[in-house]
Amino acid sequence: MSDKLVKNAAGRWIPEMVNGEKVIPFKGVGKYKPEGNKMAPRISSCADYPLDGNKQVKNLEEALIRAGLKDGMTISTHHHFRNGDLVANMVFDVAKKMGVKNLRWFPSASFPCHDHLIPYLEDGTISHIEGSMNGPLGKFCSEGKMSKTAVLRSHGGRYQAVQDGEVKIDIAVIAASCADAFGNANGINGESNSGLLGFALADSQYAEKVIVVTDTLVPFPCVPWQIQGNYVDFTVLVDKVGIPEKIVSGTTQVTKSPDRLLIAEMTAKFCEVTGIIHNGFSFQAGAGGTALSIGIYFGDIMRRKNIKARFARGGSNQYLVNLMEEGLVEYIMDGQTFDLEGVRSMRENPNHVWTSPFTSYNYHGKGNFAGLVDVVILGATEVDVNFNANVVTHSDGYLMHGIGGWQNCLFSKTVILPLPLFRDRIPVIVDEVTTLCGPGELIDVIVTERGIAINPLRTDLIDKVKGSGLPVKTIQQLKEEAEHICGKPQRPKPNDKIVAAIKWVDGTVIDVVHQVADQ
């Protein structure tokens, strides 16, 4: 980490160097334009692979040895099993056994199940994580215990980083519920279904070595395939790759909170009043309890008006699948599977379309799907009076969440954050967010149980709600109301040590996370 700091276009002080590499400060939305060509792994030859297509080796250790695992490498895994992932832990168990050190772990996301890896961070098997950190790993990083600086990226930013050569993956390990010995793989058949494997797409295409790990090996061909065996070096059969029931991870339940239901109802009403909900519209909502409730209210409005949505962007779940199977949504453009009904639908419904971070979110491409969505419903831990938002740290400064596709979704036509005005007696709307993840110019509406704030930049929305009876207030009014109830919160007092860098969708650094105080 460089001691020299520079101020980026968002007014945040960031280091010139992160983990010995020069970074590009955030320049503003759409201001940084990349140069050069896409990166690629070395050219392979069929002469080096079995003519009969059988790439199976006896176990994961042999695969990692043959892939050349050594000190200082970058190892990637994916998170389609969410809190039910078993394979990432297996990989580093092998690395520990082999005595390999200083590995960079590059997951598409991590979950509490990966607290198994904390001893490997402590003993130097893993030097640092470049990927979201959820729960125990976020706490470990926030307390300054990681030997190098963590880097957090959005789902699209992760694809961008690999494509652009910012991160070179030495060995990608891809867990799949079903595969053949050639390496073709999917996540919808077999014993341990996880749904989509789109987050592993970049890994399969750009890594130097690719290992597919499965617990259901079928004769060639494994169809349909989302991972193509032509990219794969080795296949491994294990007893179990993941726990399908844990892809739910406790978030995909409709809220029962009266306040949250009120927020959901107000959000849907806002979308109806402003004409966002119209025949052929499109939407994306997350898998949290409030977002799921909003989707249900959307369905009620569509039934009442006898209209349908052209498509919904997923994460898919049982509620979204129900809307499609009822005929209220024509297509699900799916990026991640949040429950087993989503897996079933993906297997059975031709209108349940597989997507990936490349198609949906990659900012360094010739467009992506995000800007085609009429309205996206997102969460946040904090929002400030300039509509800037934070999704990775809590009000105490602890790094406890990943970015996911959140940043990428900000480019949708209308971005709405339905939030409680306060959590645990701590206001959600503040003077300045602890960590900047998304610029306020891209966030359009904040909906709380005590009122709706519309970004002054969206004069069109402001005009459309006039006379609607909706409780529209300024964001400053909402902030003052929260402070009147809860008092003005004390801001965290971090120390000078930077523990994580936050990347924007284009690979520039938008902010950093400091070690929490008194550690």
Side-chain angles (χ1 to χ4, degrees):
M1 175 66 66
S2 170
D3 291 333
K4 186 173 181 182
L5 301 179
V6 295
K7 186 183 285 189
N8 66 17
R12 298 286 173 138
W13 290 96
I14 66 161
E16 284 191 328
M17 307 276 288
V18 172
N19 296 326
E21 297 182 1
K22 189 173 179 61
V23 300
I24 302 170
F26 175 69
K27 298 179 181 297
V29 176
K31 300 298 184 184
Y32 170 62
K33 302 294 177 63
E35 296 180 355
N37 300 313
K38 294 180 182 180
M39 303 301 290
R42 288 170 294 183
I43 296 171
S44 299
S45 169
C46 288
D48 297 323
Y49 294 85
L51 190 61
D52 65 0
N54 186 358
K55 302 174 187 175
Q56 185 181 357
V57 297
K58 65 181 180 180
N59 54 41
L60 183 56
E61 181 175 0
E62 180 180 340
L64 288 167
I65 291 170
R66 291 180 61 177
L69 180 63
K70 63 182 180 181
D71 292 357
M73 279 189 162
T74 296
I75 310 299
S76 76
T77 61
H78 66 78
H79 76 283
H80 298 98
F81 283 104
R82 297 169 65 76
N83 205 31
D85 176 43
L86 300 175
V87 169
N89 291 343
M90 293 181 198
V91 170
F92 291 102
D93 285 346
V94 172
K96 170 64 176 177
K97 178 182 176 183
M98 291 173 59
V100 177
K101 296 287 188 179
N102 197 33
L103 296 173
R104 171 169 59 170
W105 182 31
F106 186 61
S108 55
S110 68
F111 283 83
C113 63
H114 297 119
D115 64 357
H116 176 85
L117 302 180
I118 287 177
Y120 301 154
L121 285 157
E122 292 173 329
D123 69 15
T125 302
I126 304 171
S127 63
H128 67 298
I129 301 170
E130 294 199 14
S132 75
M133 283 164 285
N134 192 312
L137 290 173
K139 185 174 186 291
F140 182 87
C141 178
S142 294
E143 293 176 352
K145 297 176 181 177
M146 201 173 291
S147 64
K148 291 185 180 179
T149 305
V151 181
L152 277 72
R153 299 176 175 88
S154 65
H155 289 326
R158 184 178 187 272
Y159 193 99
Q160 164 270 314
V162 176
Q163 170 197 273
D164 293 2
E166 181 184 321
V167 174
K168 177 182 176 294
I169 301 172
D170 294 297
I171 303 174
V173 183
I174 301 173
S177 66
C178 186
D180 58 37
F182 185 66
N184 299 311
N186 68 50
I188 62 171
N189 297 321
E191 297 297 321
S192 304
N193 300 152
S194 67
L196 278 172
L197 299 181
F199 290 115
L201 180 65
D203 310 53
S204 70
Q205 292 174 325
Y206 291 98
E208 284 294 334
K209 298 292 181 181
V210 178
I211 301 169
V212 165
V213 181
T214 188
D215 54 16
T216 301
L217 198 66
V218 298
F220 178 90
C222 170
V223 291
W225 60 65
Q226 190 166 25
I227 300 300
Q228 291 184 282
N230 307 74
Y231 292 122
V232 175
D233 294 272
F234 307 105
T235 58
V236 178
L237 180 65
V238 298
D239 291 336
K240 197 167 185 63
V241 291
I243 304 169
E245 294 76 15
K246 291 191 175 183
I247 67 173
V248 176
S249 296
T251 61
T252 50
Q253 300 295 322
V254 171
T255 183
K256 295 180 180 179
S257 161
D259 283 350
R260 303 300 195 274
L261 286 170
L262 175 60
I263 293 169
E265 186 176 10
M266 288 171 59
T267 302
K269 181 67 174 175
F270 178 90
C271 292
E272 181 179 11
V273 165
T274 55
I276 290 171
I277 298 177
H278 59 272
N279 197 40
F281 84 111
S282 56
F283 68 93
Q284 178 170 357
T290 304
L292 291 176
S293 301
I294 292 167
I296 291 172
Y297 282 119
F298 276 13
D300 291 341
I301 294 168
M302 286 188 281
R303 290 185 196 95
R304 173 163 45 84
K305 293 193 164 188
N306 193 29
I307 62 176
K308 65 174 63 175
R310 175 62 175 170
F311 69 90
R313 280 278 299 125
S316 64
N317 53 66
Q318 60 179 316
Y319 306 102
L320 195 56
V321 168
N322 288 343
L323 290 176
M324 182 178 70
E325 293 185 338
E326 187 183 341
L328 295 176
V329 172
E330 290 188 66
Y331 293 93
I332 297 176
M333 309 291 288
D334 204 345
Q336 184 172 182
T337 316
F338 284 122
D339 63 23
L340 297 181
E341 268 297 281
V343 177
R344 177 199 61 81
S345 173
M346 198 170 297
R347 193 163 47 233
E348 298 177 1
N349 288 317
N351 284 17
H352 195 144
V353 181
W354 302 11
T355 69
S356 74
F358 170 73
T359 56
S360 303
Y361 294 149
N362 178 30
Y363 198 69
H364 285 170
K366 298 177 181 180
N368 63 43
F369 293 170
L372 305 179
V373 181
D374 287 310
V375 61
V376 64
I377 311 296
L378 301 171
T381 57
E382 297 176 316
V383 179
D384 68 26
V385 292
N386 294 310
F387 286 80
N388 301 307
N390 173 17
V391 292
V392 297
T393 53
H394 285 192
S395 55
D396 58 8
Y398 271 89
L399 177 63
M400 300 299 282
H401 302 284
I403 297 171
W406 187 91
Q407 288 179 332
N408 311 108
C409 290
L410 297 183
F411 291 88
S412 299
K413 295 174 186 176
T414 298
V415 176
I416 302 178
L417 307 187
L419 306 169
L421 197 59
F422 45 85
R423 297 187 182 99
D424 300 324
R425 304 287 300 177
I426 299 172
V428 167
I429 300 175
V430 296
D431 290 315
E432 184 179 52
V433 289
T434 305
T435 308
L436 175 61
C437 298
E441 66 191 270
L442 297 178
I443 295 167
D444 301 301
V445 185
I446 310 298
V447 181
T448 77
E449 71 278 19
R450 293 174 179 268
I452 300 172
I454 303 173
N455 191 319
L457 296 173
R458 292 301 304 269
T459 56
D460 58 325
L461 296 177
I462 294 170
D463 290 341
K464 287 176 180 177
V465 298
K466 288 178 180 177
S468 67
L470 288 171
V472 177
K473 302 177 180 179
T474 68
I475 198 165
Q476 188 69 39
Q477 286 173 322
L478 289 177
K479 172 181 170 292
E480 291 170 359
E481 190 166 344
E483 291 175 356
H484 178 73
I485 296 169
C486 303
K488 194 174 181 69
Q490 287 189 334
R491 304 302 293 160
K493 297 178 180 178
N495 67 22
D496 291 338
K497 181 178 179 180
I498 293 171
V499 297
I502 310 297
K503 291 292 187 89
W504 179 235
V505 298
D506 58 6
T508 60
V509 176
I510 193 168
D511 207 354
V512 294
V513 178
H514 290 260
Q515 180 181 340
V516 293
D518 302 321
Q519 297 295 330

